Amino acid sequence: DQMVLHARAGMYEVYLDEGYRQGIGEGIVGSVVATGEAALANDVAQDPRRILACPEEASTGAELCVPIRMSGRVIGALDVRSMEPGVFDDSDLGALQILADQIAWIIHNARLFQETLHLKEFNEQILQTIPLPVLLMDEDLVVAFANHDYCERHGVSADELLGRPILETVPASLAGTEQVRQDIEEVFETGKPLLIERVQGRLEYRRDRIVNLLLSRVEGVGGTPLVVYAIEDITESIEKAYQSSLLRQIGQTMQGIL
């Protein structure tokens, strides 16, 4: 296993490039990462752990190194050096460890943000593939996401919809009724998906339609509850079923006449 240099500053900055590698357990820094114990060496030249990453490091007189821990595991080290020997004490060690702990917290938050961002992008990609108009709304019934299908059918961009109340983006017959609002609240509270069948309404792109509303709760960034609001237009299916039924009735009637 190896350590990788990610950041450096000071007198050795021009001699050590980012990406420099050193084995865990090698040198003072490697020893700190391997053991998880801080090191205070006020006479580096006499420290048996010392190695030179570059010839210029021979001028180091004192070195202070502390571990960076995350969830009880050492993930790196913070190392400070001086050309003068004997300049560090326990108070410096404590101050550097506090700084290392703060760095660990920053790294943790950065990783968490990246993971959350990837998860958000992944979930939105899934919603984009659904062949139905789909919105995401928060508990205040404000639009948090709109997929391509919804935007194309309504002739708007996602940016125009984000942050707007659902009642301003969806026909009142599909979201403005008391029953639909109660159904949305129920999904938020229970987490159980809900199918509202055969709702009559006027869509922006077509008039007098019959739709199914599919509601399902999901978790957004930071665990924030959101509801997926999908609109399935079933008008044509119903019309085809009616026509098919009508044709059967006509056929049966004709058979009776003949």
Side-chain angles (χ1 to χ4, degrees), residues 117 119-139 141-152 154 156-166 169-170 188 214 216 218-221 224-231:
L117 182 61
L119 179 60
K120 178 177 181 291
E121 292 174 348
F122 176 72
N123 288 338
E124 290 186 355
Q125 288 173 2
I126 292 176
L127 293 176
Q128 293 290 14
T129 64
I130 298 176
L132 297 173
V134 175
L135 296 174
L136 270 181
M137 71 181 85
D138 62 21
E139 290 185 287
L141 304 189
V142 171
V143 176
F145 170 83
N147 72 348
H148 294 318
D149 197 293
Y150 188 95
C151 293
E152 289 179 0
H154 290 78
V156 294
S157 68
D159 290 338
E160 292 178 87
L161 296 174
L162 297 184
R164 292 177 59 188
I166 193 76
T169 59
V170 175
F188 268 116
L214 296 85
S216 179
V218 297
E219 286 192 2
V221 176
T224 303
L226 300 170
V227 161
V228 177
Y229 180 96
I231 304 172

Side-chain angles (χ1 to χ4, degrees), residues 23-235:
I24 294 177
E26 296 179 2
I28 292 177
V29 176
S31 174
V32 169
V33 172
T35 64
E37 298 293 332
L40 194 166
N42 268 323
D43 188 358
V44 173
Q46 302 301 316
D47 196 301
R49 298 169 294 181
R50 184 193 195 192
I51 64 171
L52 298 179
C54 62
E56 290 76 13
E57 283 190 335
S59 62
T60 300
E63 186 169 349
L64 186 61
C65 185
V66 296
I68 299 175
R69 294 187 181 86
M70 184 184 297
S71 301
R73 183 172 64 89
V74 177
I75 62 169
L78 182 60
D79 187 64
V80 177
R81 303 178 187 185
S82 172
M83 296 180 68
E84 298 294 329
V87 296
F88 296 127
D89 57 27
D90 288 340
S91 64
D92 297 316
L93 184 68
L96 192 63
Q97 187 62 67
I98 291 174
L99 180 58
D101 292 341
Q102 292 174 338
I103 291 174
W105 181 247
I106 292 171
I107 294 173
H108 170 75
N109 285 341
R111 288 182 177 178
L112 183 61
F113 174 78
Q114 287 298 323
E115 291 171 359
T116 302
L117 182 61
H118 291 324
L119 179 60
K120 178 177 181 291
E121 292 174 348
F122 176 72
N123 288 338
E124 290 186 355
Q125 288 173 2
I126 292 176
L127 293 176
Q128 293 290 14
T129 64
I130 298 176
L132 297 173
V134 175
L135 296 174
L136 270 181
M137 71 181 85
D138 62 21
E139 290 185 287
D140 294 324
L141 304 189
V142 171
V143 176
F145 170 83
N147 72 348
H148 294 318
D149 197 293
Y150 188 95
C151 293
E152 289 179 0
R153 296 196 188 196
H154 290 78
V156 294
S157 68
D159 290 338
E160 292 178 87
L161 296 174
L162 297 184
R164 292 177 59 188
I166 193 76
L167 295 180
E168 294 182 6
T169 59
V170 175
S173 57
L174 301 185
T177 68
E178 183 64 27
Q179 184 59 54
V180 174
R181 287 200 297 269
Q182 289 178 0
D183 290 336
I184 294 173
E185 292 175 0
E186 179 183 337
V187 173
F188 268 116
E189 292 175 1
T190 66
K192 296 180 180 179
L194 184 63
L195 172 63
I196 308 173
E197 297 183 285
R198 299 201 175 195
V199 179
Q200 292 186 336
R202 293 188 173 187
L203 303 182
E204 293 294 330
Y205 56 94
R206 300 188 76 173
R207 299 293 182 180
D208 300 322
R209 311 300 289 175
I210 300 175
V211 303
N212 289 337
L213 301 179
L214 296 85
L215 308 176
S216 179
R217 193 180 75 180
V218 297
E219 286 192 2
V221 176
T224 303
L226 300 170
V227 161
V228 177
Y229 180 96
I231 304 172
E232 180 188 20
D233 190 340
I234 60 172
T235 308

